[in-house]
Amino acid sequence: MKERIIDSPIICRDYETSGLNQFYDQILTSCAKRYVDGQVVDELYLTSACESHRLPSPIALFVNGLSSCSLESGISLNTLMDLDNKFNAMYPRDFILAYNAKFDFGFSYSGAFQQLTNSNWYSWKTEHSVLCGLEILKAIYGFNLGSKIQFPLDFLNSPSFSLERVCHENGILYKAHNASEDVDATLAVFEMMKSDSPEIVQHAMQYSQKKTVKNLINQNSFVCAAIGFGEHLHGRALAPILFCNNGSDLLCLDVGQVHPSQIKNIHSWEISKQLARGTIDDIFVLLPINKQKIIFGEEHYRSCYTHSELSITELRERANVARENKALKELASDAFKLFEITNRSSADASLELSIFDDFVQPNESQFIEDFNAVDWQNRWDLLRSTDLIEPTNRIARLARRVIIENCPDSVPNSLLDAYRGFCNQKLFDLQSGRDQRWVNFSRVLSELQELRERFPDQELRLRELEEYYDSRLAVSP
């Protein structure tokens, strides 16, 4: 008998990190558990030391409870990323499930890129299909009105989807912000969702690839998705207007709320503001199609927010008018350009963000393969002698940093001194203030003060954190 997709093997993952920025923070603990037929059949748990060019956020450490010992004596981040990838590679057809997949996937590809452990930086999606527990749960909230899942509410009576609160509300006991415990909790929530809403979970698995989502969009006049946060989270009937961002986003019109003919005298600037706000009254929506958002076909229209009860025929007519409106498409294109300028991250020429300069090139891929084929003591000589990449190439710059972090004895003393000076300036210059993209000592001091004010009864833990930062400051040049 052919296996049902809903019963497919799953690798459930969770990372605890040094902060929230996937480019400037790092993975500190990684847990993966392979789940087959309701049983964990293989697992991995790793703890990494903090690299010398980073400082962990005190708030992050306060939440995840990691000790100064693990920060100083864990395995290297390079080893963690290598073992992490090898675990996934053993099960290439498995789904990868994470509760907030966007967060964990971001750290996975940033880590693979920065550590040069392999050239397939996006292997979670190229070798697997990714599922997001959070997005599946939002889809259930929006489209299964008969769900028996208990959704926690905040003080405004809006739904909360934090893993900790969802588990508490539904009787799932675990220790939050521990990677292994978070994986167990995610698996428990996944089983709960399969039992409660198997059709929605199966749909999420069937349409977990960008290609299949695009096919779904092309087969329907309009699509349905749970959009928004808090009180603004509702199912929406969305007519595709324009693919944006290399096909990874879809700018849509909410045809449940407006007929295209009613759109008059609206400027691209107003549309761009609506894309950023994302409230229930905003009729223009930016729908991500490559970030595990659960997108349904027209058949779910009855669960979508409308100002009046509309039939599927009426919604289709509205959607077809919108899709054929060339002026609306041009307006949407201008609006997205404004949205990019005003809401995306400003241009950043840092090494960490050079991953977005281009996909890995053949010469870069070959160098990464050669780099990992030799032992650490020989990697500096390989870097100096290679003719595959120029010294200014992003991969060469990363290789220098990776070698210094993992095998400093193989590097000339003059380069080590320059690197220590760079780290000292980056992390410990109090004149730079706390408003950097990375965690520096100014931010450390500010966060420690904030924690002391919020948790006056946690003096022992706060002192432990202060001692760790004092030890980092003591060894800075």
Side-chain angles (χ1 to χ4, degrees):
M1 179 180 293
K2 186 176 180 180
E3 180 184 76
R4 299 187 306 162
I5 191 170
I6 201 170
D7 297 323
S8 300
I10 284 175
I11 298 172
C12 189
R13 285 196 153 279
D14 184 74
Y15 293 136
E16 294 299 324
T17 62
S18 65
L20 300 177
N21 190 309
Q22 69 187 63
F23 304 107
Y24 300 105
D25 294 310
Q26 70 163 83
I27 298 167
L28 293 175
T29 59
S30 170
C31 181
K33 297 186 182 184
R34 187 172 191 245
Y35 195 63
V36 181
D37 295 331
Q39 301 293 325
V40 175
V41 297
D42 197 2
E43 60 186 292
L44 179 78
Y45 186 86
L46 303 167
T47 300
S48 168
C50 187
E51 294 195 304
S52 65
H53 67 96
R54 312 181 204 262
L55 282 173
S57 156
I59 292 177
L61 296 182
F62 188 83
V63 170
N64 60 41
L66 291 173
S67 67
S68 57
C69 179
S70 65
L71 294 170
E72 294 166 348
S73 59
I75 62 175
S76 71
L77 180 59
N78 184 273
T79 300
L80 182 147
M81 294 307 307
D82 183 45
L83 295 174
D84 221 45
N85 179 66
K86 287 176 178 175
F87 184 88
N88 286 354
M90 289 192 295
Y91 312 108
R93 300 180 63 185
D94 286 10
F95 285 88
I96 293 181
L97 168 69
Y99 188 72
N100 183 1
K102 178 182 176 182
F103 178 86
D104 296 284
F105 175 59
F107 272 92
S108 77
Y109 70 71
S110 291
F113 169 68
Q114 293 181 28
Q115 295 301 317
L116 303 182
T117 48
N118 66 87
S119 59
N120 190 1
W121 306 323
Y122 304 102
S123 62
W124 277 30
K125 291 187 176 180
T126 59
E127 303 296 329
H128 305 268
S129 295
V130 179
L131 301 172
C132 178
L134 173 62
E135 288 295 345
I136 298 174
L137 198 58
K138 284 183 177 181
I140 292 171
Y141 177 84
F143 291 96
N144 183 1
L145 303 183
S147 173
K148 300 298 190 295
I149 294 174
Q150 299 299 309
F151 294 95
L153 302 175
D154 64 18
F155 63 93
L156 293 175
N157 243 13
S158 299
S160 169
F161 295 94
S162 80
L163 180 60
E164 188 172 2
R165 291 198 61 192
V166 168
C167 287
H168 176 77
E169 199 74 16
N170 290 277
I172 299 170
L173 303 178
Y174 82 111
K175 179 183 177 182
H177 306 297
N178 170 282
S180 179
E181 295 267 349
D182 282 354
V183 165
D184 290 340
T186 299
L187 287 168
V189 170
F190 187 69
E191 282 298 307
M192 177 179 70
M193 294 189 295
K194 283 170 60 177
S195 176
D196 178 83
S197 306
E199 296 86 0
I200 290 179
V201 175
Q202 179 163 306
H203 181 90
M205 299 176 81
Q206 287 175 330
Y207 293 93
S208 56
Q209 293 276 348
K210 184 176 178 180
K211 179 180 178 181
T212 55
V213 174
K214 281 192 170 182
N215 288 339
L216 176 71
I217 292 167
N218 291 331
Q219 292 164 4
N220 289 267
S221 298
F222 65 92
V223 295
C224 305
I227 301 294
F229 300 91
E231 62 182 323
H232 298 286
L233 177 63
H234 290 274
R236 309 279 284 274
L238 304 171
I241 304 299
L242 180 73
F243 280 105
C244 312
N245 193 23
N246 296 319
S248 293
D249 293 310
L250 184 65
L251 200 156
C252 303
L253 175 68
D254 186 338
V255 290
Q257 297 196 64
V258 65
H259 192 288
S261 64
Q262 298 173 298
I263 302 173
K264 297 177 180 177
N265 301 320
I266 189 169
H267 298 286
S268 56
W269 178 250
E270 170 57 28
I271 296 175
S272 74
K273 289 195 293 184
Q274 291 193 23
L275 299 180
R277 279 196 306 257
T279 68
I280 186 61
D281 295 321
D282 292 317
I283 59 174
F284 288 94
V285 171
L286 195 61
L287 181 64
I289 64 171
N290 197 30
K291 295 179 181 176
Q292 287 63 63
K293 172 67 69 177
I294 314 303
I295 300 173
F296 300 99
E298 302 168 346
E299 68 277 5
H300 283 76
Y301 76 98
R302 289 188 180 86
S303 300
C304 293
Y305 180 83
T306 61
H307 288 166
S308 60
E309 191 170 337
L310 298 171
S311 69
I312 191 169
T313 301
E314 290 172 306
L315 288 169
R316 283 172 178 162
E317 187 271 332
R318 290 184 173 196
N320 290 333
V321 170
R323 296 179 77 151
E324 295 169 5
N325 190 324
K326 293 181 179 179
L328 183 59
K329 185 169 292 190
E330 291 176 3
L331 191 64
S333 178
D334 291 340
F336 183 75
K337 291 173 184 175
L338 287 171
F339 173 80
E340 285 277 271
I341 293 170
T342 56
N343 294 281
R344 300 294 195 191
S345 300
S346 58
D348 189 334
S350 71
L351 179 59
E352 285 77 9
L353 270 78
S354 65
I355 186 174
F356 299 130
D357 288 353
D358 205 343
F359 290 108
V360 63
Q361 299 301 297
N363 60 317
E364 293 177 327
S365 181
Q366 184 60 58
F367 174 79
I368 293 170
E369 182 179 337
D370 295 346
F371 187 73
N372 287 291
V374 299
D375 60 37
W376 281 107
Q377 290 293 335
N378 293 322
R379 293 190 186 188
W380 178 253
D381 289 337
L382 172 68
L383 178 60
R384 290 180 60 202
S385 62
T386 186
D387 56 5
L388 287 169
I389 53 176
E390 297 293 328
T392 56
N393 179 281
R394 58 182 177 171
I395 301 301
R397 295 168 63 199
L398 286 168
R400 284 193 288 273
R401 189 169 76 185
V402 168
I403 295 170
I404 291 172
E405 289 284 347
N406 290 274
C407 191
D409 292 345
S410 66
V411 177
N413 289 332
S414 58
L415 183 59
L416 283 180
D417 291 340
Y419 184 73
R420 291 179 183 127
F422 160 78
C423 293
N424 185 49
Q425 180 72 21
K426 174 184 176 182
L427 302 179
F428 299 105
D429 180 12
L430 294 177
Q431 302 301 314
S432 61
R434 62 165 291 170
D435 297 324
Q436 302 293 328
R437 296 179 298 276
W438 53 86
V439 178
N440 60 13
F441 207 67
S442 293
R443 191 188 300 184
V444 166
L445 295 175
S446 177
E447 290 189 8
L448 285 171
Q449 180 61 33
E450 178 184 342
L451 288 170
R452 197 171 293 283
E453 292 171 359
R454 290 173 57 193
F455 304 100
D457 58 335
Q458 297 293 319
E459 184 64 25
L460 189 63
R461 175 58 175 160
L462 292 171
R463 285 184 181 177
E464 180 185 0
L465 292 177
E466 288 176 340
E467 289 174 1
Y468 167 73
Y469 291 109
D470 285 344
S471 70
R472 290 291 303 272
L473 187 61
V475 298
S476 64

